[in-house]
Amino acid sequence: MSVSGLVSRLDYATHATGDERVLLIMLPGAGMGAAEFAAQGMVAALRAQRLPVDVSVVQPDMGLYLEGGVAAALHHGVIVPARARGYRRIWLLGISLGGMGALHYASAHHGDIEGLVLLAPFLGTRGTMAALAKAGGLGRWPAAAAAATLPEQHLLGWLTAHLTCGAAAPALYLGYGQQDRFAPGHRLLAAHLPPERVATLPGGHDWPTWVALWRDLLARSPFGPRTDDAGRCAAP
């Protein structure tokens, strides 16, 4: 299907009912197709947990990332209709560029989602990550902001504020391969997360590593009892 810049969408429903059912929206990275999440075993790994979690794999047009329209497309094309269908617990999972898309959505509509699962997320260019590391990490973000593009400033500014305010929601889980080309940025993010919400394994920027990380994170029960909305930070 194609709705508001969304190239395709594949749904995998459990037919669960009640307030505790979860909608997990999966976002692929650049060069990936929506069908790959099922083909690589990501959906099956979730099903094996026997959780009331419905899955929608949504593939935005790559142009939306350049134009800054990913958050709006997800909001109007997926999230708002999902809430109209009764979903109250919504999570985003993004791989690589899809992880950046999930963060862009959270920065614009953090009150609409309960949590994020980021697998090898693209957080910014290598130059921006190097400047951030030199400045002392995410906690020192303003000192590195001049080296970043405007979209990076918006995303990393929100992420820093969210992590430093100690909010309970949206919850954030991170998984990355130790040899991933974006690992320096991942380590900067991991330093601000509880250890139980970070999974890291030997591996690179590839499906075998992401699937193994997903299984590891699932074992940590991210979709347990809902997070209290009162634990959210005010929007920066």
Side-chain angles (χ1 to χ4, degrees):
M1 63 182 297
S2 178
V3 178
S4 303
L6 303 180
V7 175
S8 63
R9 173 175 174 172
L10 296 172
D11 294 311
Y12 306 89
T14 61
H15 305 295
T17 59
D19 290 342
E20 289 305 306
R21 66 175 177 157
V22 175
L23 176 63
L24 174 63
I25 299 164
M26 295 182 171
L27 303 173
M32 302 177 197
E36 291 186 66
F37 282 89
Q40 296 291 341
M42 295 276 288
V43 177
L46 177 61
R47 288 289 168 266
Q49 300 290 315
R50 299 185 180 278
L51 297 170
V53 181
D54 295 335
V55 174
S56 285
V57 182
V58 177
Q59 183 176 358
D61 188 290
M62 286 296 107
L64 291 176
Y65 288 95
L66 299 176
E67 300 162 5
V70 170
L74 289 173
H75 187 66
H76 296 293
V78 183
I79 305 293
V80 171
R83 289 202 169 274
R85 296 197 306 274
Y87 288 101
R88 295 294 175 264
R89 302 185 63 189
I90 298 176
W91 283 65
L92 299 179
L93 179 152
I95 294 178
S96 192
L97 191 63
M100 185 179 77
L103 284 168
H104 272 302
Y105 187 87
S107 70
H109 304 283
H110 63 278
D112 288 345
I113 57 174
E114 185 174 303
L116 305 171
V117 179
L118 307 176
L119 298 178
F122 179 73
L123 300 175
T125 64
R126 292 184 180 182
T128 297
M129 293 298 103
L132 190 55
K134 184 176 180 180
L138 277 170
R140 300 286 299 168
W141 162 242
T149 64
L150 286 177
E152 288 174 337
Q153 290 178 20
H154 181 73
L155 186 154
L156 292 169
W158 174 83
L159 183 58
T160 299
H162 175 67
L163 293 171
T164 56
C165 84
L172 201 161
Y173 287 76
L174 170 68
Y176 65 95
Q178 293 164 2
Q179 288 75 45
D180 193 297
R181 61 181 180 271
F182 300 130
H186 301 154
R187 286 191 281 269
L188 295 178
L189 175 54
H192 291 268
L193 296 174
E196 64 271 17
R197 293 189 177 181
V198 178
T200 181
L201 298 168
H205 201 72
D206 52 50
W207 275 109
T209 304
W210 300 330
V211 174
L213 289 166
W214 176 227
R215 293 180 184 277
D216 187 326
L217 290 173
L218 279 174
R220 305 175 190 215
S221 303
F223 308 116
R226 74 174 65 201
T227 302
D228 185 355
D229 288 346
R232 298 178 187 272
C233 295

